[in-house]
Amino acid sequence: MAGSSGGSSNPSPAPPPPKILLAKPGLVTGGSNTGKLGRGSGAAEDEASALRNRLPAIGSLNLISESWEFQVDRFLPFLTENTDFTVVGVIGPTGVGKSTIMNEIYGFNGSSPGMLPPFPVQTEDIRAASRHCTTGIEPRISSERIILLDAQPLFCPSTLSEIIRPDGSSTISVLTGESLSAELAHELMAIQLGVFLMSVCQILLVVSEGAHDLSMWRFMSTVDLLKHGIADPSSNLSHSLSSIGLDVGNKDKIYVGGDEYMAAPIFVHTKMEELCSHSTVRLKKALAKYFAASTFTKTKPESQSKIALAPSEISNSHKDHGSDFTQLNLYTIPLKLKDDSISTQHASFHSMLWRLRDKVLSMDAPSFAKTVSERDWLKNSAKIWETVKSSPIIAEYAKMLQSSGAFRK
């Protein structure tokens, strides 16, 4: 109670509420004097501190509103005109460790008192209540100017429950002017998130649990098929009919403007109970075979075409890798043990998490077609979101799902 002091004449003040790390803007103003991972000088730190004091107090920076519309204004104050930045996204089911990975890439130090992680991590209470932590897309930006995008979990019953009406229809208009069942809308929302992240990110972490969960492989295969006619965030986009894939004279014709851009996916399998070179190499071979005909294996730069290997796997890599098996990135993280021991594993949970962070930070990610600033990236991403929602290819896919009878009308 607010006046209860247990008889003490000088009650101690209540501790301040915990702070949440949102952003550290202004540390970089250009790409000439500071590297991608470089930090600013003392003067830059002072300027950044003054800028942070002027930023609005925002509890959530969500890029997607409850009505499934893109929100630019919330995140824009945290971005600068800097052109030396990297966009990293993550997507996957609930409880696979997406937020834990993103917090690691952000560089969050959990030992700091009174600080909550930038991305909330699922607790036992949240899991017991069958809830999820992230809705829409939650962005953060690190001091190294890494823009991190954490998407809501896929295949999640709690996200479905939030959009379903008593009659089974969706409360959200996922496709422009379309009334859909909640189950179909839920399916399309996941696809739209996947296509959007592959369009605006440079690196996309695709997270699965264990060695046998291939649901994210199937999902990304669908995203690969449906992502067409969407330019990258550096393009000069407009809201014309052609920008959403329709030709004015022939609305059945698919319009593809410019080169097709695709983020570099890193397939991450977490909670691996058996983390050894033999099992991991077999998983890599299965991944390479599954996506052999996909866009993910086409025209990748040499620096992106090497599979992430833990040191324990290097000795077997040369004799087990085939020539068709060098163009996808896969990383495995062991099951987290209470004491973080390595008695039955080649590396501990935390050490593999650190290595994944190093992999992401050192990776030569695909570049956008043109140089673009952080702020322009965000503004163009809003236009890409509208393009994704209006995509005729995704609309045709929705009709196919509807006619299959798998979803109620």
Side-chain angles (χ1 to χ4, degrees):
M1 297 281 297
S4 172
S5 60
S8 173
S9 59
N10 297 312
S12 300
K19 299 177 181 178
I20 183 165
L21 297 179
L22 294 179
K24 298 177 182 179
L27 296 182
V28 181
T29 57
S32 59
N33 298 324
T34 309
K36 187 171 293 186
L37 302 183
R39 296 178 183 273
S41 63
E45 289 283 359
D46 294 339
E47 181 183 352
S49 177
L51 178 57
R52 282 196 295 272
N53 291 333
R54 297 197 301 269
L55 290 172
I58 302 175
S60 171
L61 301 180
N62 207 321
L63 293 180
I64 310 297
S65 70
E66 294 182 357
S67 59
W68 213 235
E69 300 296 332
F70 200 91
Q71 303 177 125
V72 172
D73 294 342
R74 289 191 175 188
F75 192 46
L76 190 62
F78 293 90
L79 301 182
T80 69
E81 296 299 328
N82 166 50
T83 60
D84 187 16
F85 64 97
T86 303
V87 187
V88 180
V90 67
I91 196 166
T94 185
V96 296
K98 301 187 301 298
S99 297
T100 299
I101 293 172
M102 295 299 264
N103 288 333
E104 184 68 29
I105 296 174
Y106 183 96
F108 173 70
N109 183 3
S111 63
S112 300
M115 300 295 284
L116 293 177
F119 296 100
V121 178
Q122 190 180 53
T123 64
E124 289 297 331
D125 292 339
I126 295 175
R127 188 177 295 108
S130 298
R131 306 300 298 170
H132 57 279
C133 296
T134 303
T135 300
I137 297 177
E138 280 286 347
R140 300 290 185 269
I141 185 163
S142 72
S143 59
E144 296 90 355
R145 310 317 291 172
I146 302 174
I147 298 175
L148 300 167
L149 304 179
D150 186 11
Q152 70 181 36
L154 306 184
F155 326 126
C156 182
S158 59
T159 59
L160 173 61
S161 66
E162 291 180 350
I163 67 169
I164 190 169
R165 289 192 177 104
D167 63 355
S169 63
S170 172
T171 60
I172 295 178
S173 177
V174 177
L175 297 177
T176 305
E178 295 279 348
S179 178
L180 304 173
S181 68
E183 291 91 344
L184 180 56
H186 188 244
E187 180 82 8
L188 295 177
M189 288 167 70
I191 291 171
Q192 289 175 343
L193 287 175
V195 171
F196 174 76
L197 291 175
M198 286 300 292
S199 302
V200 303
C201 295
Q202 291 162 291
I203 300 172
L204 180 61
L205 303 173
V206 183
V207 188
S208 304
E209 180 177 330
H212 304 291
D213 181 9
L214 306 182
S215 58
M216 287 306 300
W217 293 15
R218 291 190 290 269
F219 172 79
M220 290 305 295
S221 180
T222 302
V223 168
D224 181 41
L225 290 173
L226 299 180
K227 187 196 173 304
H228 292 288
I230 301 173
D232 72 44
S234 68
S235 302
N236 187 14
L237 302 172
S238 67
H239 288 287
S240 64
L241 284 175
S242 61
S243 74
I244 62 174
L246 292 178
D247 181 78
V248 176
N250 182 3
K251 293 187 179 182
D252 294 327
K253 179 181 177 181
I254 300 300
Y255 172 86
V256 180
D259 295 332
E260 191 75 20
Y261 173 81
M262 191 78 76
I266 299 180
F267 293 87
V268 183
H269 282 252
T270 63
K271 303 182 181 181
M272 295 282 288
E273 296 185 10
E274 181 187 0
L275 187 59
C276 63
S277 59
H278 180 65
S279 61
T280 305
V281 165
R282 285 192 301 173
L283 187 60
K284 292 177 187 291
K285 287 182 176 179
L287 178 71
K289 185 176 181 180
Y290 190 90
F291 288 105
S294 74
T295 309
F296 305 146
T297 60
K298 309 293 186 187
T299 61
K300 297 293 182 183
E302 178 67 21
S303 58
Q304 295 178 42
S305 64
K306 294 176 181 170
I307 297 180
L309 290 175
S312 60
E313 301 167 38
I314 293 177
S315 60
N316 293 327
S317 62
H318 297 292
K319 63 183 179 182
D320 288 329
H321 288 186
S323 59
D324 61 336
F325 160 52
T326 58
Q327 297 190 14
L328 285 171
N329 289 283
L330 184 142
Y331 206 92
T332 54
I333 298 178
L335 182 68
K336 183 179 181 181
L337 304 177
K338 290 184 178 180
D339 56 354
D340 202 26
S341 66
I342 56 174
S343 57
T344 60
Q345 302 171 131
H346 289 266
S348 69
F349 168 82
H350 288 291
S351 65
M352 291 301 288
L353 206 57
W354 296 334
R355 290 172 188 169
L356 176 58
R357 181 179 192 268
D358 290 342
K359 167 69 180 176
V360 172
L361 296 187
S362 62
M363 184 173 174
D364 187 8
S367 301
F368 299 133
K370 302 176 184 177
T371 300
V372 64
S373 70
E374 296 170 359
R375 295 172 68 88
D376 286 339
W377 167 86
L378 180 65
K379 295 173 183 176
N380 286 343
S381 293
K383 299 174 184 178
I384 288 177
W385 178 249
E386 294 304 316
T387 305
V388 170
K389 289 178 61 179
S390 304
S391 167
I393 299 177
I394 297 179
E396 286 298 319
Y397 181 73
K399 292 180 181 178
M400 183 191 71
L401 292 179
Q402 186 77 74
S403 62
S404 69
F407 299 91
R408 73 173 73 181
K409 295 183 179 181

